[in-house]
Amino acid sequence: VAARDLVGVAEIESWIKRMARKSFIRRVTIGKSIQGRPLRMMKIGNGKSRNLVFVVSRQHPPEVTGTFGLMAFVETLAGDSPLAGRFRKRFLTLVVPLVNPDGLDAGHWRHNMAGADLNRDWKDFKQPETRQVRDAFLAFVALPGARPFLFLDFHSTKKDIFYTQTDGQKTFPPNFTRDWLAALGRRFPEYKIRRSGSHDPTTGTSKGWFYERFRIPAITYEFGDHTDREMIRRLTAGSTGEIMKLLLAAAEK
């Protein structure tokens, strides 16, 4: 009996492996969970590029619509469109699709095997999963000429919502979130965009850490538990297209 779609460790591993057949996607192992499960990273695009985008998902085990969103994001990025091709030449996107494999396999609600909510551990980094994901990302930031541009964390909740910084908080690229959500609204005028702008670095969320560390747009991208799955795919494909356009424009400056 399951209250959510059954997209578990094996299904995510199979999807990563399938996507990594593409010549511009490389699958690497960046560490292990408490119980020894591999933490995978997908490196998408130009491996020599120093324009960086960071993406994570499934910090909370049952949040399967977040995984659907992440998959649609990656598949759009890896698509055959001229826009996606240009983006991959200019950017390297680093994706950790499953931060909490133990919690997912055990059927936990929010925690890893140490009883910790990983999306509250991005301040103290007491858990091996968050430490290893952080360190893998920082290794790329340490490369000469590295420029972080964006962080996305895909989650699920009651209704679709974007947790962001406020427009008054400066980011690079400037005004990215405002412009991105405005473009999404124009593309999908029937879609109700819910945004909550705030910043509290003491909460230990990934969003808070990435903004504090790099001053980039750091966005928790939440889909409703019951949002239509085809709608998730369409919306994410459209929003990914707008992300690529805005970041390519920013990279030219």
Side-chain angles (χ1 to χ4, degrees):
V1 177
R4 298 286 184 269
D5 310 69
L6 293 176
V7 182
V9 175
E11 288 79 10
I12 294 172
E13 283 279 334
S14 177
W15 173 80
I16 295 170
K17 186 176 181 180
R18 185 172 69 253
M19 294 301 299
R21 294 173 186 159
K22 294 179 179 289
S23 61
F24 49 80
I25 298 181
R26 185 180 174 201
R27 177 185 65 159
V28 297
T29 301
I30 60 172
K32 291 184 178 180
S33 65
I34 289 174
Q35 291 189 332
R37 292 182 175 85
L39 300 176
R40 307 290 192 196
M41 174 186 281
M42 304 167 75
K43 299 164 63 175
I44 305 171
N46 182 356
K48 296 181 179 179
S49 177
R50 296 297 178 258
N51 297 328
L52 304 175
V53 174
F54 310 97
V55 185
V56 302
S57 189
R58 220 57 181 271
Q59 296 199 71
H60 296 150
E63 297 186 5
V64 68
T65 54
T67 290
F68 291 146
L70 175 132
M71 288 177 170
F73 174 88
V74 169
E75 289 166 6
T76 304
L77 212 67
D80 296 330
S81 72
L83 176 61
R86 291 197 304 273
F87 188 81
R88 292 194 299 267
K89 287 181 181 179
R90 293 298 304 272
F91 281 84
L92 178 61
T93 303
L94 305 168
V95 182
V96 180
L98 178 53
V99 179
N100 188 1
D102 293 350
L104 177 53
D105 192 67
H108 289 181
W109 187 246
R110 288 179 74 85
H111 300 143
N112 70 348
M113 295 311 290
D117 182 337
L118 295 183
N119 202 34
R120 299 299 182 271
D121 189 50
W122 287 78
K123 179 175 180 287
D124 299 324
F125 292 99
K126 294 180 179 179
Q127 302 305 311
E129 293 91 350
T130 43
R131 284 198 303 271
Q132 290 169 104
V133 174
R134 174 201 63 186
D135 292 347
F137 286 150
L138 287 178
F140 287 91
V141 177
L143 295 172
R147 289 200 302 172
F149 276 74
L150 176 66
F151 169 73
L152 297 174
D153 184 1
F154 285 89
H155 283 259
S156 307
T157 189
K158 293 180 180 179
K159 295 181 179 179
D160 295 18
I161 189 169
F162 301 90
Y163 291 107
T164 74
Q165 290 71 53
T166 67
D167 287 338
Q169 292 171 294
K170 293 184 179 180
T171 63
F172 171 81
N175 302 315
F176 171 87
T177 303
R178 182 198 66 191
D179 295 344
W180 172 49
L181 294 180
L184 185 61
R186 290 191 295 271
R187 185 181 282 231
F188 298 101
E190 76 284 4
Y191 180 63
K192 180 176 177 58
I193 294 176
R194 299 178 181 88
R195 177 186 179 186
S196 177
S198 64
H199 177 60
D200 182 354
T202 68
T203 59
T205 64
S206 56
K207 175 175 80 78
W209 184 80
F210 269 91
Y211 177 72
E212 280 293 302
R213 188 68 183 254
F214 305 117
R215 287 299 190 261
I216 59 175
I219 298 165
T220 305
Y221 197 155
E222 302 248 16
F223 285 102
D225 295 319
H226 302 292
T227 299
D228 179 80
R229 282 27 178 174
E230 176 59 21
M231 178 63 75
I232 291 174
R233 189 197 65 76
R234 288 182 54 244
L235 287 168
T236 308
S239 69
T240 305
E242 299 302 334
I243 286 172
M244 291 190 287
K245 291 176 187 177
L246 288 168
L247 293 188
L248 283 168
E252 297 291 339
K253 297 178 180 180

